[in-house]
Amino acid sequence: DIQMTQSPSSLSASVGDRVTITCRASQSISNYLNWYQQEPGKAPKLLIYAASSLQSGVPSRFSGSGSVTDFTLTISSLQPEDFATYYCQQTYSTPYTFGQGTKLAIK
Amino acid sequence: EVQLVQSGAEVKQPGESLKISCKGSGYTFTSYWIAWVRQMPGKGLEWMGNIYPGDSDTTYSPSFQGQVTISVDKSITTAYLQWNSLKASDTAIYYCAKLEGLTSPSDYWGQGTLVTVSS
């Protein structure tokens, strides 16, 4: 199985901050990397697919980059609704593993 | 509008069987993969497996192979996740999700089904 490691596991930030979350794959996954946001009590929501493509309807303050094994999710200016847990997922090969999640909290 | 509507919460005893459902609408059900994802209490997301409703081609995560069965009834555009003998450790929220393609992300998700297994 491909292991996905996110960092940090949690972070505190303020509204307006720029935040970066990283995700590392245990082997090359090309650009088969997706990012999801999960608010408490809700289903995950797709933010970024194919490492850097913004899903329709997602605000442009979200962006993704990277390839091969190292990827980042950046939120350019945090909004109150962005405080949630973020997961990366590889869909390069089954099983389609997720990272352990990054919980973004209000400072 | 694409929708995946899952069956309601279940409370079961260890050893019991269970089948939960996920009904797709608003798109061509037989043309897109459906995935099942587990989220144990307070934990992260775990991919369990995929099924292609068009021909019932199914792939399981090794962690779930033999523990659950994924199936589909395309006549009623519904996917299923089934257990023959539940364990307390099966307590979790289970999500179904639609995939645009086999290696694509999950672009639409069901609301989740909470399964509680307790004696």
Side-chain angles (χ1 to χ4, degrees), chain B:
Chain B
E1 178 195 8
V2 174
Q3 283 193 308
L4 295 172
V5 179
Q6 298 186 230
S7 49
E10 302 274 2
V11 180
K12 292 289 189 179
Q13 294 191 338
E16 291 190 316
S17 63
L18 176 64
K19 193 174 189 177
I20 62 175
S21 66
C22 168
K23 182 171 176 60
S25 63
Y27 70 101
T28 304
F29 184 74
T30 51
S31 296
Y32 297 92
W33 291 78
I34 293 281
W36 285 96
V37 175
R38 183 175 79 174
Q39 188 166 39
M40 298 177 76
K43 302 298 184 183
L45 304 172
E46 300 173 89
W47 180 82
M48 303 175 71
N50 287 348
I51 189 164
Y52 187 72
D55 60 6
S56 295
D57 184 18
T58 307
T59 304
Y60 292 94
S61 166
S63 298
F64 293 93
Q65 179 87 47
Q67 308 304 309
V68 297
T69 301
I70 295 171
S71 62
V72 66
D73 184 340
K74 56 187 180 182
S75 71
I76 55 171
T77 65
T78 300
Y80 300 97
L81 180 64
Q82 180 177 359
W83 295 259
N84 288 334
S85 181
L86 286 160
K87 302 184 281 287
S89 57
D90 293 318
T91 295
I93 297 172
Y94 294 88
Y95 293 101
C96 64
K98 169 186 165 290
L99 283 70
E100 189 67 20
L102 180 55
T103 58
S104 297
S106 299
D107 54 355
Y108 290 91
W109 293 68
Q111 81 276 20
T113 296
L114 174 61
V115 174
T116 303
V117 184
S118 174
S119 55

Side-chain angles (χ1 to χ4, degrees), chain A residues 1 10 20 24 28 31 35 38 78:
Chain A
D1 299 4
S10 63
T20 297
R24 174 164 288 178
S28 173
N31 70 334
W35 290 97
Q38 188 179 33
L78 275 173

